[in-house]
């Protein structure tokens, strides 16, 4: 099974600070169809997860452009350029390239 | 508006069965693969099962293989998860979510396995 290793597990940030979260895969997430099914989700406290970024770098509709994703193969990054209070919660990467699909363990973003 | 609404959860004794449902609306359900994902209290997300749009492809996590069955009725816009031989470690909030991008999630339904 594909293992997604997210770092750091916890991130303390001030409002306006830029932060990055890493997601490393135990094998390439490049699908035979040419897509890389690596996505980023945010779960705010008490809420269902919501999609932020899909296919590595595509911004989901309605998501602020301070969120960006990058990477390829086995190494991926989510960047928040200027944290806002509403960004607090747990961030997950998820891969949909290889079944069984898998999630990273999550990165909790909290206010410093 | 896309909506996914789960139901069927509750308190069940170990070894018993339970069937979850997820009713979809606001999109052409038969065009999308669907997942079940669960989250144990205070823990992260765990992918449980996948079914393709026409039910041709089905995958399970090893932790539930042989005990859980995913299915769908495209005429009723409904996704199902039949859970048998339930264990305490199956206690979790169960979500349905749309593929291929996990772009829509339900509100979740709680399953508690306890004697």
């Amino acid at each position: 099974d594909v293992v997604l290793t997210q770092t750091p597990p916890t991130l303390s940030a001030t409002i306006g600070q830029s932060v990055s979260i890493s997601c490393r895969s135990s094998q390439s997430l490049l699908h035979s169809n040419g897509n890389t099914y690596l996505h980023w989700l945010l779960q705010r406290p008490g809420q269902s997860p919501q999609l932020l970024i899909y296919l590595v770098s595509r911004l989901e509709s309605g998501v602020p452009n301070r969120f960006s994703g990058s990477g390829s193969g086995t190494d991926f990054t989510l960047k928040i350029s200027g944290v806002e209070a509403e960004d607090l919660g747990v961030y997950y990467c998820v891969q949909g390239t290889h079944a069984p699909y898998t999630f990273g363990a999550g990165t909790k973003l909290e206010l410093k | 508006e896309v909506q996914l609404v789960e139901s069927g959860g509750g308190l069940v004794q170990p070894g018993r069965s339970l069937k979850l449902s997820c009713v979809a609306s606001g999109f052409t359900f038969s065009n999308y693969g669907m997942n079940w994902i669960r989250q144990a209290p205070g823990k992260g997300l765990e992918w449980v099962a996948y079914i393709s749009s026409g039910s041709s492809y089905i995958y399970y996590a090893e932790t539930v293989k042989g005990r859980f069955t995913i299915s769908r009725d495209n005429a009723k816009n409904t996704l199902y998860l039949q859970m048998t031989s339930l264990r305490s470690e199956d206690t979790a909030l169960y979500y349905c979510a749309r593929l291929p991008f996990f772009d829509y999630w339900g509100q979740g339904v709680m399953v508690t396995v306890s004697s």
Side-chain angles (χ1 to χ4, degrees):
Chain A
D1 297 0
V2 173
V3 176
L4 297 181
T5 302
Q6 264 186 257
T7 54
T10 305
L11 203 45
S12 294
T14 56
I15 300 300
Q17 182 180 351
S18 292
V19 298
S20 293
I21 300 169
S22 169
C23 178
R24 289 186 171 163
S25 175
S26 60
Q27 58 183 276
S28 175
L29 298 183
L30 178 62
H31 193 278
S32 57
N33 66 10
N35 288 327
T36 299
Y37 293 90
L38 186 285
H39 321 304
W40 290 96
L41 309 168
L42 165 61
Q43 187 175 32
R44 296 186 176 97
Q47 295 187 17
S48 301
Q50 68 165 106
L51 178 67
L52 299 174
I53 301 285
Y54 64 99
L55 295 176
V56 179
S57 60
R58 302 187 187 183
L59 193 66
E60 172 68 348
S61 176
V63 174
N65 60 12
R66 62 180 177 273
F67 292 94
S68 62
S70 62
S72 64
T74 62
D75 202 349
F76 305 92
T77 301
L78 174 72
K79 183 176 181 180
I80 310 173
S81 300
V83 169
E84 297 193 5
E86 65 181 16
D87 301 338
L88 304 183
V90 182
Y91 290 80
Y92 295 94
C93 54
V94 57
Q95 68 86 15
T97 296
H98 304 290
Y101 306 141
T102 45
F103 290 87
T107 295
K108 185 176 183 179
L109 177 61
E110 53 190 28
L111 276 181
K112 190 180 294 182
Chain B
E1 178 194 6
V2 171
Q3 280 198 313
L4 297 170
V5 179
E6 302 96 337
S7 62
L11 173 63
V12 60
Q13 293 179 328
R16 303 298 289 259
S17 301
L18 204 60
K19 187 173 186 177
L20 305 183
S21 300
C22 167
V23 176
S25 60
F27 66 102
T28 305
F29 180 70
S30 59
N31 286 351
Y32 290 85
M34 297 292 295
N35 290 300
W36 286 100
I37 294 140
R38 67 185 181 184
Q39 187 169 36
K43 302 296 185 181
L45 299 170
E46 179 189 11
W47 175 81
V48 172
Y50 159 81
I51 186 167
S52 63
S53 57
S55 304
S56 298
Y57 300 96
I58 289 175
Y59 308 122
Y60 297 99
E62 283 297 324
T63 52
V64 307
K65 196 177 291 185
R67 300 188 299 122
F68 289 12
T69 302
I70 188 172
S71 62
R72 64 191 295 162
D73 185 336
N74 286 342
K76 295 183 178 180
N77 290 342
T78 304
L79 174 72
Y80 301 101
L81 186 68
Q82 175 70 55
M83 305 183 292
T84 64
S85 302
L86 282 162
R87 306 167 180 168
S88 58
E89 54 265 36
D90 296 319
T91 293
L93 188 62
Y94 284 74
Y95 295 101
C96 58
R98 191 176 81 166
L99 275 185
F101 305 134
F102 299 84
D103 57 348
Y104 288 97
W105 295 63
Q107 82 288 354
V109 61
M110 189 66 201
V111 173
T112 303
V113 184
S114 174
S115 54

